[in-house]
Amino acid sequence: MVSDPHRHAVDASRTNSQIMYQPADQGFATYFLAMLADEDRNVKYAEAIKQCIAQFRKQQGRAPLVLDLGCGTGLLTRLALMHGAAKVVGVDTNRTMCSLATRALKAANVPADKYEIYHGTVDDYAADKDIRFDVMVSEILGTLHTSENLPEYAKQASKYLNTFDTCTYVVPSACSTYLRTVVVRDDAT
């Protein structure tokens, strides 16, 4: 049997409530190309990140330190920097994606002191650091907002996020899933 690096694996020793999506540790899933080419999606992310960082700067009086959870190709890292982040730390468990993010940011002439791309989890990154992020951005949504287990990964990352009064700065800040029933009729019968 050939191992597929894009297959979504889970730890079978866990109970059902503990099973989490485990992204591939290398490779490039072809659905990324469609996401990167989705202009509407990318514009919406750019607008949301711009608004979030502007709100942070207005309310907190400084530029934020941003966590890009599951940074992929570095698109959200770049958008956060374009819209005023002081620095972005992108983390991803996929070595290939970390390499692509680093290459894309270098190709865009983003100053190296403005970002850090880390291969691993946010827990791994923060293990020996006294670090708190001001803003979290992420696009680990998949087809449904739970298919890449964003709620669980965001929960893990939340221990490294600053809370200001009752506000936490996160993009996306809300997700909705809409379903529609489709009936296919076979007119041949």
Side-chain angles (χ1 to χ4, degrees):
M1 183 166 134
V2 177
S3 176
D4 178 0
H6 307 297
R7 194 180 107 244
H8 306 298
V10 294
D11 180 350
S13 67
R14 296 180 181 193
T15 65
N16 284 341
S17 64
Q18 295 173 318
I19 293 176
M20 282 181 51
Y21 166 87
Q22 298 296 315
D25 63 355
Q26 62 183 357
F28 184 85
T30 55
Y31 68 86
F32 270 62
L33 296 173
M35 289 186 341
L36 292 170
D38 186 341
E39 186 177 340
D40 184 54
R41 169 193 169 273
N42 297 336
V43 166
K44 296 288 187 200
Y45 262 102
E47 289 171 357
I49 289 169
K50 180 179 180 179
Q51 289 174 4
C52 181
I53 291 175
Q55 180 182 7
F56 180 90
R57 291 177 72 114
K58 181 179 179 183
Q59 293 174 343
Q60 306 307 322
R62 62 183 174 83
L65 173 61
V66 176
L67 169 65
D68 183 353
L69 182 64
C71 65
T73 62
L75 176 64
L76 302 188
T77 294
R78 186 169 175 206
L79 290 172
L81 290 167
M82 285 173 53
H83 294 298
K87 182 176 180 174
V88 180
V89 175
V91 297
D92 203 300
T93 59
N94 183 310
R95 184 177 311 278
T96 303
M97 299 313 291
C98 288
S99 176
L100 288 172
T102 301
R103 287 174 37 200
L105 293 164
K106 284 181 183 177
N109 296 314
V110 177
D113 64 335
K114 291 292 197 176
Y115 68 90
E116 184 176 351
I117 302 298
Y118 181 81
H119 174 244
T121 67
V122 67
D123 282 329
D124 297 335
Y125 176 81
D128 60 350
K129 297 171 182 65
D130 182 25
I131 191 162
R132 303 284 294 180
F133 297 97
D134 300 312
V135 173
M136 183 178 77
V137 297
S138 186
E139 203 292 331
I140 56 172
L141 300 173
T143 307
L144 301 172
H145 72 270
T146 57
S147 44
E148 290 190 26
N149 225 4
L150 175 61
E152 285 301 316
Y153 285 112
K155 181 179 174 184
Q156 287 178 354
S158 69
K159 61 187 162 199
Y160 305 107
L161 288 176
N162 285 321
T163 299
F164 301 90
D165 297 320
T166 60
C167 182
T168 304
Y169 298 89
V170 178
V171 173
S173 59
C175 296
S176 299
T177 300
Y178 299 93
L179 302 173
R180 182 175 185 178
T181 303
V182 176
V183 177
V184 177
R185 294 193 174 106
D186 183 2
D187 292 336
T189 57

